[in-house]
Amino acid sequence: MTKHIFTLIWNKKKKNFLLLLEIFFAFLILFGVFTFVISNLRNYITPLGFDTENVWLARMEVPQDVDSADFAQMRQLLRTELEAIPEVEQVSYTINITPFSNSAWQNGTDENGFDLNARIIQNDEYYEETGGLNIIEGRWFIKDDVHSKYKPVVISKMLRDLGWRGKPVIDSLFIFNYDDGPDNQVKIVGVVDHYKYMGEFTEEYNMIFIYEPTTSTNLDCMYIRVKDNASPTLEEQINKTIAAITKRNDFIIQTLESQRKRKSRQTWIPIGILLGIGSFLIINVALGLFGVLWYNINKRRPEIGLRRTLGATKSDIARQFIGEILMVAFFGIILAAFFTMQFPMMKLFDIENINYYYAMLISAGVIILLVLLCSFYPSRQAALINPAIALHED
Amino acid sequence: MIKLNNVNKIYKTKSVETLALNNINLNINEGEFLSIMGPSGCGKSTLLNIMGLIDEPSQGEVSISGYRIDDYTGKSVAKFRNEHLGFIFQSFHLINDLSVIDNVELPLLYRKVSSKMRRQLAEEALIKVGLKNRMKHFPSQLSGGQKQRVAIARAIVGKPNIILADEPTGNLDSAMGNEVMDILLGLNQEEKTTIVMVTHDELMAKKTNRLIRLFDGSQVQ
Ligand SMILES: Nc1ncnc2c1ncn2[C@@H]1O[C@H](COP(=O)(O)OP(=O)(O)OP(=O)(O)O)[C@@H](O)[C@H]1O
Ligand SMILES: [Mg+2]
């Protein structure tokens, strides 16, 4: 039967060409949509690695000409005063490379026997708790780290798996051209599970957190962890406290949660639009398929009558019509897949290959499902045609 | 071989009821070549369709080779048609998108026959109707007589013991009609195939064993 169906659609290749073309383009477009959606969603399902609920962010300018003793004192005071507010749980200082802000500091070296490329963030000893990080090995920074011979760092699991797979990682030294410590080496004190600070839809990246004490002028942002259900006046209160102590007004306070949502929207919206376009396309293809099938079946009533007369059962007829359109769809998919295979093979974009393969499988699945759904009813109708009447019509 | 007992056929449409067949009793013997004549609309095709199990009588019984038909929609009647009956139509009913040989293979598709075997049987059938050299042609490239010979090849490819032909020469000029008729006579004489043929042509009917006439759904001779 397969061979017969092939002969039939081959002999009618001109008529089937448009349908094949439709399937071909549908596959290409679905492939694009699904590649985008799947690669983003696959990033989305890995945890962020830090809290956004109840964490606020204050950005402050640090004047260049500041006296360091005064600055240190002011910093300590600001901490103490803010933490004295009942609804504030904890305060931590950080460099201004903050989550969802699109800024990044990146460094790389191959001096450790592997290609190390990482993003760097400087934090004080309080950030683990304020930010809600997950330490999976070792510890976060402590005050005494100031006296460490080597600069203490915490790395992400991804980096540990890259450089220290199957090896002890805590207290290891590695070369990282960051510090002027002995031989440019830094020391790993802990590992966190994830830190996708660029946003929920970004790929994970190797992270290196570097210790800076609270009093460091490098740290010009502040995380403020507040209690659940903070009152509306809290922001005002924090605002006043900061202004009073720093004697400046050029700072802004944001909640990380709103930043997360703002950033995620930048991906959710195109995902929504693309899925909308995809659905619209699918409906169009479905209508097209349905139309072609109805037309074919009506035009081929005498043929159906003949086949029934020659001994075809109803299910033979239904199977033939479904089979014909499935085979055309199959060739359309194969042809399109030949093109889409170039993406993983030529690595045109910075997208993991597996996303392309998933997108191809899902696109093919959607199209085949669509063909089956659209051909089910017309084919059943074809099977119900009365041979005596259909033969008479010719 | 074919037995019809008190067969009635009524077509009901919204406005009219047509009594297409009225109390037909018919007994066709194995190896017989029967022709059916009668004016247009008298029920010849209806009768043939009922004998071919593609239409159901409103009343009465049909039995073929001892097989009594109760269920016209099931798989067994399709299988029976496929194995025991061959059909030839006035308008040929070839599938234009299939080559001659593929058209001839058609009945074998609905049986368990390997594709190699199908090809071989179809070639043999085409040789019998003298069209071996037209195997790869398409129906649109053939004359009417050739088309009907292809249809005959298709009817005999499954080696049925009965052939039902509805005005097989109706669309052909007399030379081509005679060609087709000679093939049918040959099948009846050499292969002992039972043939029932509807015709408007007295000369053709005369060449057969027996003639019956219908008028307004009733058998008049
Ligand atoms: N499917 C149908 N529905 C309603 N009436 C039908 C149907 N098929 C046939 N008839 C009617 O039944 C009668 C017999 O038709 P049938 O086709 O058997 O005639 P026929 O003898 O073969 O005629 P012709 O020589 O023109 O082929 C006609 O009056 C026809 O109009
Ligand atoms: Mg007729």
Side-chain angles (χ1 to χ4, degrees):
Chain A
M1 202 62 184
T2 318
K3 194 178 158 219
H4 178 68
I5 288 175
F6 178 76
T7 309
L8 209 54
I9 65 166
W10 178 254
N11 291 347
K12 289 195 275 195
K13 47 188 172 299
K14 268 191 207 145
K15 287 179 209 158
N16 284 319
F17 182 70
L18 270 177
L19 186 62
L20 188 125
L21 214 62
E22 188 178 4
I23 300 279
F24 175 82
F25 283 112
F27 185 92
L28 289 188
I29 294 170
L30 286 181
F31 169 76
V33 170
F34 284 127
T35 302
F36 181 82
V37 171
I38 288 166
S39 57
N40 275 300
L41 289 185
R42 285 185 66 242
N43 288 334
Y44 182 74
I45 55 175
T46 59
L48 267 183
F50 56 93
D51 293 343
T52 54
E53 295 273 6
N54 298 329
V55 180
W56 295 12
L57 188 67
R59 286 173 192 283
M60 307 176 282
E61 295 292 317
V62 175
Q64 295 301 306
D65 54 346
V66 68
D67 174 89
S68 63
D70 286 352
F71 182 74
Q73 203 184 4
M74 184 271 281
R75 273 288 166 94
Q76 296 289 13
L77 183 64
L78 188 54
R79 276 188 65 80
T80 329
E81 288 291 309
L82 283 173
E83 287 183 353
I85 299 172
E87 283 179 290
V88 171
E89 282 195 337
Q90 202 179 29
V91 172
S92 158
Y93 289 103
T94 179
I95 191 174
N96 64 4
I97 299 171
T98 54
F100 317 117
S101 67
N102 286 337
S103 47
W105 175 12
Q106 203 165 313
N107 212 340
T109 171
D110 52 10
E111 290 171 90
N112 298 289
F114 64 94
D115 189 12
L116 179 120
N117 214 312
R119 292 189 177 165
I120 306 159
I121 291 184
Q122 295 162 308
N123 295 94
D124 67 10
E125 60 269 33
Y126 304 106
Y127 182 53
E128 180 207 355
E129 280 182 35
T130 319
L133 304 194
N134 283 323
I135 294 278
I136 55 169
E137 233 182 293
R139 60 168 175 84
W140 187 252
F141 309 126
I142 52 174
K143 251 200 185 96
D144 273 354
D145 283 337
V146 185
H147 310 298
S148 172
K149 180 177 165 195
Y150 297 98
K151 196 80 180 168
V153 300
V154 169
I155 63 171
S156 61
K157 180 164 157 283
M158 188 175 172
L159 179 53
R160 179 198 67 185
D161 293 344
L162 175 73
W164 289 271
R165 174 161 295 225
K167 286 187 273 184
V169 60
I170 302 303
D171 292 333
S172 325
L173 300 174
F174 65 97
I175 300 164
F176 197 57
N177 304 321
Y178 165 77
D179 196 46
D180 47 4
D183 308 324
N184 281 339
Q185 295 196 100
V186 294
K187 183 168 131 186
I188 301 170
V189 298
V191 179
V192 295
D193 60 352
H194 301 281
Y195 198 72
K196 294 199 306 182
Y197 74 101
M198 301 294 276
E200 290 169 296
F201 289 105
T202 51
E203 277 184 11
E204 285 221 47
Y205 207 84
N206 296 323
M207 291 301 307
I208 299 179
F209 298 91
I210 298 177
Y211 178 59
E212 287 287 318
T214 291
T215 50
S216 161
T217 50
N218 288 341
L219 308 183
D220 49 5
C221 281
M222 199 165 45
Y223 291 108
I224 303 164
R225 190 172 188 103
V226 303
K227 296 211 161 92
D228 280 345
N229 306 318
S231 60
T233 54
L234 179 61
E235 186 177 344
E236 171 85 32
Q237 218 176 334
I238 291 174
N239 227 309
K240 277 186 182 151
T241 310
I242 298 176
I245 294 172
T246 60
K247 303 202 172 49
R248 299 174 67 109
N249 283 313
D250 53 349
F251 60 90
I252 45 169
I253 296 177
Q254 302 162 323
T255 69
L256 272 194
E257 182 62 11
S258 67
Q259 296 300 301
R260 179 186 69 78
K261 284 185 178 150
R262 181 186 55 81
K263 183 78 191 232
S264 293
R265 223 175 293 135
Q266 292 173 4
T267 308
W268 280 126
I269 288 171
I271 284 181
I273 291 173
L274 283 177
L275 286 180
I277 293 174
S279 314
F280 181 73
L281 177 87
I282 284 173
I283 291 170
N284 268 294
V285 172
L287 289 176
L289 283 174
F290 212 75
V292 167
L293 271 159
W294 267 126
Y295 177 76
N296 270 346
I297 286 166
N298 276 314
K299 239 186 56 178
R300 290 167 67 183
R301 284 173 66 89
E303 177 189 334
I304 294 165
L306 174 78
R307 286 177 186 270
R308 294 275 281 135
T309 303
L310 299 185
T313 60
K314 286 180 189 172
S315 45
D316 284 330
I317 298 292
R319 240 179 293 144
Q320 180 183 341
F321 279 90
I322 293 176
E324 282 180 28
I325 198 137
L326 255 186
M327 198 180 277
V328 175
F330 178 77
F331 286 119
I333 289 171
I334 294 289
L335 194 67
F338 174 78
F339 284 91
T340 55
M341 269 312 284
Q342 306 308 310
F343 285 87
M345 278 161 62
M346 294 170 55
K347 293 241 88 229
L348 291 175
F349 299 99
D350 187 20
I351 293 176
E352 261 186 281
N353 280 356
I354 186 84
N355 294 315
Y356 292 123
Y357 300 137
Y358 276 132
M360 277 189 244
L361 278 181
I362 294 176
S363 306
V366 165
I367 288 177
I368 287 172
L369 197 73
L370 201 66
V371 167
L372 287 178
L373 281 178
C374 291
S375 56
F376 183 74
Y377 185 69
S379 303
R380 256 188 66 85
Q381 291 306 107
L384 293 177
I385 287 173
N386 178 329
I389 295 176
L391 280 174
H392 212 81
E393 286 165 358
D394 198 21
Chain B
M1 177 120 254
I2 306 178
K3 250 194 164 126
L4 272 66
N5 264 339
N6 302 320
V7 165
N8 279 357
K9 178 73 191 181
I10 301 166
Y11 286 114
K12 286 191 182 117
T13 55
K14 271 172 230 145
S15 48
V16 281
E17 258 185 33
T18 314
L19 182 61
L21 291 178
N22 183 14
N23 204 25
I24 302 289
N25 285 289
L26 198 58
N27 208 332
I28 302 167
N29 298 318
E30 192 165 351
E32 202 174 355
F33 194 154
L34 176 85
S35 42
I36 303 174
M37 293 192 73
S40 182
C42 70
K44 304 180 296 294
S45 296
T46 305
L47 179 60
L48 210 63
N49 286 345
I50 283 175
M51 287 193 250
L53 312 181
I54 55 179
D55 211 350
E56 200 173 343
S58 309
Q59 272 162 23
E61 275 172 14
V62 179
S63 86
I64 300 177
S65 309
Y67 173 89
R68 232 197 69 195
I69 293 88
D70 300 311
D71 174 18
Y72 278 82
T73 52
K75 272 187 183 173
S76 63
V77 73
K79 187 167 182 298
F80 188 89
R81 271 203 300 269
N82 179 267
E83 288 172 357
H84 297 271
L85 305 175
F87 293 86
I88 301 167
F89 310 91
Q90 177 176 3
S91 55
F92 323 127
H93 280 302
L94 300 177
I95 297 177
N96 289 327
D97 292 310
L98 289 177
S99 65
V100 163
I101 184 108
D102 287 329
N103 264 290
V104 174
E105 281 185 25
L106 221 47
L108 303 177
L109 271 179
Y110 303 109
R111 285 184 200 186
K112 286 199 167 54
V113 181
S114 72
S115 64
K116 217 175 127 192
M117 193 65 186
R118 279 208 299 269
R119 183 99 333 187
Q120 193 189 323
L121 290 171
E123 276 187 37
E124 285 170 15
L126 281 169
I127 290 169
K128 279 188 195 151
V129 298
L131 282 177
K132 191 183 188 316
N133 53 347
R134 294 282 195 270
M135 274 190 339
K136 298 276 184 252
H137 284 57
F138 281 83
S140 58
Q141 301 166 312
L142 301 179
S143 72
Q146 288 170 328
K147 281 183 192 171
Q148 198 58 300
R149 276 148 65 191
V150 174
I152 294 172
R154 181 182 65 194
I156 62 174
V157 72
K159 306 206 180 352
N161 34 29
I162 300 168
I163 285 178
L164 303 170
D166 195 347
E167 299 185 44
T169 59
N171 277 358
L172 306 177
D173 66 26
S174 61
M176 289 200 288
N178 283 330
E179 249 174 46
V180 164
M181 192 59 200
D182 288 345
I183 295 173
L184 291 178
L185 286 166
L187 280 170
N188 175 248
Q189 277 148 24
E190 281 146 38
E191 323 255 334
K192 305 288 169 250
T193 310
T194 308
I195 301 180
V196 181
M197 177 179 76
V198 170
T199 183
H200 277 131
D201 189 332
E202 296 276 355
L203 289 175
M204 300 290 179
K206 275 203 183 105
K207 298 182 186 172
T208 66
N209 304 146
R210 174 151 71 116
L211 166 68
I212 63 166
R213 289 185 196 271
L214 293 186
F215 189 81
D216 264 358
S218 303
Q219 186 182 343
V220 293
Q221 179 193 325

